Amino acid sequence: TKIKDIRKDRKNSVLVLDAGDFHMGTLFHMIAREEASELLLLKEMGYDVLTLGNHEFDLKPGGLAQIINSAVKKGKYPEIISSNLIFDKDDKRDDTLAEVYKKGYIKPFTILERDGLKIGIFGLIGKDAAEVSPFATPVKFDDQISTSKKMVKILKEEKKVDIIICLSHSGLWDDKSKSEDEILAQKVDGIDIIISGHTHTKLKDAIVVNDTIITQAWEHGRVLGVIDIKFNNGKIKLQKFASEPINDNIQG
């Protein structure tokens, strides 16, 4: 309902994005392998693109592959992107997920065309998230800085996109020396927006680092993060960021 209301209030396009950990936390995960329940619900709600978080690997690579294959069979799920997955050629435990990746059900990036603009979106998992993802084995995760530089180069130079968005399951910390998505913005030029996840951070305002807008929408669907941006002369400008509360005041 909230997503529909936000769409109605705006003349221009609205993208609905998620930075990972859509899986686990509710009983829906019990039927996810057979029914892809969470992915189908997200598509029904209007989500366009999402990335993988550490909890997507809680049922191991084979379990995640089953979930995605079930979603493919049912024919309706948001685009899934993840750019820094590393598969082990010698270990067969991740073969089914590697096959899902080869088939393009998980892609390193996607490009959406809206209002005459080409919007490039890539996703990744950060260092802390990788460290708390023991069930992902033997899948590993490449360095997010070097991966992001590659993605920006491809999207800007080869694909000629106007806007670059990173769905980053890396996170924000009070300690700036550990705040992975702020470090990412500092070290990688060309990312216009980082949708941050993993750390369950509650923000009053968007963070701007190196001209990159960074936001995060707290946790457990308690808020919907809404960014209004203006594109002018090849540059993005933040108009407004709001954390819209999701509670009983919203009529179903």
Side-chain angles (χ1 to χ4, degrees):
T1 300
K2 196 67 170 176
I3 290 169
K4 285 179 180 176
D5 287 346
I6 286 165
R7 287 192 193 278
K8 284 177 193 170
D9 289 342
R10 286 157 179 77
K11 292 178 183 177
N12 294 330
S13 292
V14 174
L15 299 182
V16 188
L17 310 170
D18 187 83
D21 281 0
F22 59 83
H23 180 61
M24 284 290 171
T26 72
L27 285 174
F28 286 117
H29 82 262
M30 296 297 291
I31 56 169
R33 278 173 284 208
E34 296 78 18
E35 300 296 331
S37 41
E38 295 126 333
L39 286 173
L40 268 60
L41 281 166
L42 286 164
K43 183 65 176 177
E44 191 74 21
M45 291 166 70
Y47 278 79
D48 296 292
V49 187
L50 52 84
T51 195
L52 302 174
N54 51 291
H55 283 296
E56 271 68 75
F57 290 89
D58 283 357
L59 298 177
K60 301 183 180 180
L64 177 56
Q66 279 183 276
I67 293 167
I68 295 171
N69 280 324
S70 293
V72 171
K73 285 177 186 175
K74 292 176 186 296
K76 50 180 186 177
Y77 62 99
E79 285 197 75
I80 303 170
I81 56 171
S82 188
S83 62
N84 64 335
L85 301 177
I86 302 173
F87 299 104
D88 193 320
K89 293 177 183 177
D90 300 318
D91 195 323
K92 293 185 177 183
R93 288 177 294 170
D94 65 357
D95 282 1
T96 51
L97 189 62
E99 192 64 28
V100 163
Y101 192 85
K102 283 179 191 173
K103 288 178 179 176
Y105 304 153
I106 303 171
K107 298 185 287 189
F109 64 86
T110 189
I111 296 171
L112 304 180
E113 296 201 25
R114 299 285 192 277
D115 298 327
L117 296 173
K118 287 178 75 176
I119 303 166
I121 308 172
F122 71 97
L124 50 81
I125 289 181
K127 289 179 182 176
D128 186 81
E131 287 171 5
V132 293
S133 198
F135 298 115
T137 305
V139 174
K140 292 180 182 176
F141 307 98
D142 207 354
D143 175 71
Q144 71 252 53
I145 304 295
S146 59
T147 299
S148 296
K149 286 179 178 177
K150 287 177 200 169
M151 290 294 105
V152 169
K153 188 172 183 181
I154 291 168
L155 291 168
K156 280 281 186 195
E157 296 180 14
E158 293 181 28
K159 305 300 181 183
K160 308 293 184 188
V161 302
D162 300 295
I163 300 169
I164 295 179
I165 300 173
C166 174
L167 305 183
S168 177
H169 199 79
S170 302
L172 300 165
W173 277 265
D174 291 333
D175 183 346
K176 300 296 181 186
S177 67
K178 295 179 181 178
S179 192
E180 291 187 34
D181 282 324
E182 291 180 83
I183 294 167
L184 179 64
Q186 286 168 2
K187 293 191 174 181
V188 183
D189 293 329
I191 303 174
D192 294 297
I193 299 169
I194 296 174
I195 306 295
S196 177
H198 184 56
T199 49
H200 301 221
T201 305
K202 190 176 185 181
L203 294 179
K204 287 184 179 178
D205 300 300
I207 300 167
V208 180
V209 177
N210 192 22
D211 294 329
T212 300
I213 300 162
I214 308 171
T215 67
Q216 194 177 134
W218 199 17
E219 62 186 9
H220 308 149
R222 293 180 182 184
V223 298
L224 185 65
V226 184
I227 313 169
D228 287 295
I229 59 166
K230 189 173 184 179
F231 182 82
N232 193 25
N233 293 326
K235 292 194 174 181
I236 288 285
K237 186 175 181 183
L238 176 66
Q239 299 289 96
K240 182 185 176 186
F241 169 69
S243 289
E244 297 282 351
I246 305 300
N247 56 35
D248 290 349
N249 291 322
I250 303 167
Q251 291 190 359

